[in-house]
Amino acid sequence: IAAADAAAIDRLMEPLHAADIADFLEQIEPHERRRLLEIWQGGLDGEILSEIEDSVREEILGYLSPQDLTDAVRELESDDVVDLVEYLDDDQQEAVLDVLEPLDRVAVEKALAYPEESAGRLMQVETVRAPEHWTVGETIDHLRAHSDELPEQFYHVILVDPRMKPVGNVTLGRLMSSRREVRLADIREDLFVTIPATQDEEEVAYAFNQYHLITAPVVDEDGRLVGVITIDDAMIVLAEENAEDLLLLAGVGESTVSDRVVATTRRRFPWLAVNLVTAILASLVISLFEEVIAGLVALAVLMPIVASMGGNAGTQSLTVAVRALATKDLTGSNVLRVIRREVLVGMINGVIFAVVMGVIGLAWFGEPLLGVVIAAAMVINLVIAGLAGTVIPVALDRMGVDPALASGAFVTTVTDVVGFFAFLGLAALVLL
Amino acid sequence: IAAADAAAIDRLMEPLHAADIADFLEQIEPHERRRLLEIWQGGLDGEILSEIEDSVREEILGYLSPQDLTDAVRELESDDVVDLVEYLDDDQQEAVLDVLEPLDRVAVEKALAYPEESAGRLMQVETVRAPEHWTVGETIDHLRAHSDELPEQFYHVILVDPRMKPVGNVTLGRLMSSRREVRLADIREDLFVTIPATQDEEEVAYAFNQYHLITAPVVDEDGRLVGVITIDDAMIVLAEENAEDLLLLAGVGESTVSDRVVATTRRRFPWLAVNLVTAILASLVISLFEEVIAGLVALAVLMPIVASMGGNAGTQSLTVAVRALATKDLTGSNVLRVIRREVLVGMINGVIFAVVMGVIGLAWFGEPLLGVVIAAAMVINLVIAGLAGTVIPVALDRMGVDPALASGAFVTTVTDVVGFFAFLGLAALVLL
């Protein structure tokens, strides 16, 4: 890069897949990125651009020449263009849309009219469809005649009725291996799922994974065909949603390793602020027992153990519950059973660790009652952890709040408060 | 179910997709499940069975009649049979294999010879292939002539050389829309990725997601075609791997909501045991300062705040790092930059919360030096949290240990120990 050798860069980049080039661009420093793209004029095509993650892409679009942008965008299909422009500010969006052919522009604008993260944003408007009364021969002849208008990738022919409502799917495999006179309606797939354009993309990904769909037609509110979603887009959504749950559970929002320092700091701040409040709440509980601690400092030494074990057990229950809610494995029909199980698990593990910790407490401080107190507090806190770890995410989910986002703070607050209160309270009763 | 009405169950189940029936079976109680399956003789087909999760499936296979099992297994493709039997014990596996046609049995046994969680286990051995010199017309005629041998779902024709080495992919869409005399070699896809049969399934899922593959041929060590993997299987692996990371990070192993109490307790126990050890380690640090705490009980009240903030900040850094390692966004080329960023973020948030907490500490206990101590400890612990939260998972990854599994315990140990030590140590220096 330092030598500004465009030909050398071309040689290096040429054998790489667009997704790998995108990864490479994400991993280098912003100034290196800019320098590289200045030298590598015209090398950045639409495919690479659509593979780059949002924050880096926005940065690049900020200094890409209009000509390069035009070249890059022209070759993309409508869903990729939507993906490219949907999070841009209005000026940048306008600039990209201006370079599109009028027909493509209409398609992209239609998709942008659907809500964010909906099936309408995810779909590609280019569909391959045929009237249901057609035969295999008619369909193949039609496809051959219009081969230059076909999308790059398609795996089904969608059967539509005269009002453009999709009524079935024929896989290309069946189509190709059937005799020319067979009617499409007779070889359609058993399973046929249509997706409303306004459906949340998370639901779309769930449907693809649950029913092993490869493509699914998207319909408007009147049930008419408006586009098609393919599994590779659904897979990307699934991966993103899973990552989001993981990051939300850890309180990091939508972070990636290529974010800058300021953006990262700002994203992590809220969760740390929430944690500070809950930690202070726990400290207030401790301060109720200042005299007890002053009377027996061993309590201060041991109390974090009870809270920490509760926090961990609560996080375990919580994570299983959040995951099960996301995959729809935790529903009204089994929620009571799951809660009962979590409480039981908390109790069993609580008793085991109570015994262990009771013995350690006794051995450490030579005070039998201290062992009893920490053991009892441990059982109480692990049972509460199992209960809170399941009830809180389920309750949040029913209230329409994403359980991955908020459960963690609630659950650890509960286990901290209960842990300190049970341990120090019992100590006050028994030891003083 | 209580009325033992098989016809009524049939009516209820009939409109449901196999995956939904499987979910339903997972969610009811084990004794209900058994009762239902006894009444609903023969209703359980292979597709449902292959959708059910491992622990429940094993339970069902334990009491399914040989006849039902035979019927269920016969209709499955080789990859689904492999999926069904791979985690059964030898007797059960033998029973299932015995009912297969000899040819299918060989296919399944071949797949089972590949390592667990490898591409060989994931692939389907039924491939649709053609010599590269064939024309579109020859290929379509061949497919029509052998239409009863074709797999249910296929999306590409794999081009092979005379030694059965795959040399390219032709999408059915291109095949169908090209004229009969066009040669296959001229319409093959630009991107062609083959997958070694021994490759880890996680790598396979990564490749599908990275390159937007729909199907990919699987090759043996000599580069010869042995099977094909389709994206829907890769998507399932991706979802499973993501779930695994999430659950490992929370220390729950491979849990699901339909596990029983004993199994769940056993799975959660190890992580809680590790946590107990680390908590005791932290308590040992506290016990070094017993006299300091006896002198100023406010320290006992405030000390969990420093540890808790460090733990949270560390988990944030850790989660981002684990995620980035899994998606290969964190590599040798940007690891130093990411570490620098995490430390900086820790420092900035540390200073902000140090000021906040310093003021709170002062206001609460009216002791200016206490505010200074907690502020300084906060900065130190949040910087260490950012450092440990990135360095530890990266180091574990380089050592070949799954960072999702072990990082959490290490990072919180570091932040607890550093948090307590910094806070109480500074207090001992400054306040006494």
Side-chain angles (χ1 to χ4, degrees), chain B residues 2-297:
Chain B
D5 185 348
I9 297 174
D10 251 354
R11 267 201 308 283
L12 278 171
M13 296 292 205
E14 209 274 316
L16 293 180
H17 184 270
D20 293 326
I21 299 178
D23 281 351
F24 171 72
L25 287 171
E26 285 166 14
Q27 283 175 23
I28 58 180
E29 296 263 12
H31 67 266
E32 291 172 342
R33 189 152 55 219
R34 178 156 199 173
R35 183 98 185 82
L36 187 140
L37 290 176
E38 275 166 10
I39 304 167
W40 196 40
Q41 288 283 354
L44 190 77
D45 62 15
E47 220 180 318
I48 300 172
L49 211 50
S50 71
E51 296 282 352
I52 292 178
E53 67 179 34
D54 295 347
S55 65
V56 176
R57 190 198 293 156
E58 236 173 285
E59 178 202 311
I60 292 177
L61 288 177
Y63 54 69
L64 206 63
S65 75
Q67 185 54 46
D68 280 358
L69 185 63
T70 311
D71 294 346
V73 169
R74 279 246 170 97
E75 49 195 80
L76 290 175
E77 306 210 357
S78 67
D79 59 335
D80 291 325
V81 178
V82 171
D83 194 37
L84 204 65
V85 302
E86 61 180 341
Y87 297 115
L88 297 181
D89 55 45
D90 287 349
D91 286 354
Q92 284 187 311
Q93 204 175 78
E94 198 57 36
V96 174
L97 291 181
D98 279 344
V99 307
L100 292 174
E101 311 278 337
L103 261 177
D104 291 339
R105 181 177 176 136
V106 170
V108 171
E109 281 175 344
K110 244 188 207 162
L112 286 174
Y114 290 107
E116 274 182 25
E117 312 211 325
S118 69
R121 292 277 181 111
L122 204 60
M123 72 188 184
Q124 139 189 341
V125 293
E126 298 88 357
T127 57
V128 179
R129 48 188 193 271
E132 48 185 331
H133 57 79
W134 277 15
T135 63
V136 168
E138 283 175 293
T139 311
I140 293 184
D141 292 344
H142 178 84
L143 291 178
R144 285 210 182 116
H146 297 81
S147 64
D148 50 335
E149 294 162 27
L150 293 174
E152 212 177 305
Q153 303 264 352
F154 69 103
Y155 309 96
H156 290 96
V157 172
I158 302 164
L159 305 190
V160 288
D161 72 8
R163 284 172 308 162
M164 274 296 276
K165 293 193 181 168
V167 292
N169 251 341
V170 172
T171 68
L172 295 189
R174 277 309 285 283
L175 188 62
M176 184 146 336
S177 58
S178 302
R179 278 164 301 113
R180 286 185 61 90
E181 63 275 18
V182 172
R183 287 185 57 229
L184 293 184
D186 297 329
I187 53 169
R188 65 177 153 202
E189 283 200 283
D190 294 337
L191 175 69
F192 180 60
V193 177
T194 60
I195 293 184
T198 51
Q199 191 170 59
D200 189 86
E201 60 176 20
E202 189 171 359
E203 295 288 319
V204 175
Y206 173 81
F208 269 83
N209 200 28
Q210 175 84 345
Y211 304 121
H212 313 302
L213 306 175
I214 299 295
T215 67
V218 179
V219 295
D220 64 14
E221 60 271 33
D222 300 324
R224 274 191 298 258
L225 182 69
V226 289
V228 65
I229 294 178
T230 47
I231 185 175
D232 54 330
D233 295 316
M235 188 175 185
I236 293 169
V237 171
L238 183 81
E240 280 172 0
E241 293 288 339
N242 282 331
E244 205 181 288
D245 276 359
L246 179 74
L247 294 171
L248 280 181
L249 270 176
V252 244
E254 288 174 42
S255 303
T256 69
V257 280
S258 43
D259 284 341
R260 309 288 200 86
V261 170
V262 178
T264 308
T265 308
R266 214 182 295 139
R267 282 210 181 106
R268 309 241 177 122
F269 182 86
W271 180 255
L272 290 174
V274 170
N275 183 60
L276 184 65
V277 173
T278 74
I280 290 175
L281 217 64
S283 289
L284 284 172
V285 174
I286 300 173
S287 73
L288 296 176
F289 299 96
E290 271 188 65
E291 281 166 40
V292 185
I293 295 172
L296 185 61
V297 180

Side-chain angles (χ1 to χ4, degrees), chain A residues 157-174:
Chain A
V157 173
I158 302 164
L159 306 190
V160 289
D161 73 6
R163 284 172 308 164
M164 275 294 277
K165 293 193 181 169
V167 293
N169 250 342
V170 172
T171 68
L172 295 189
R174 278 307 287 281

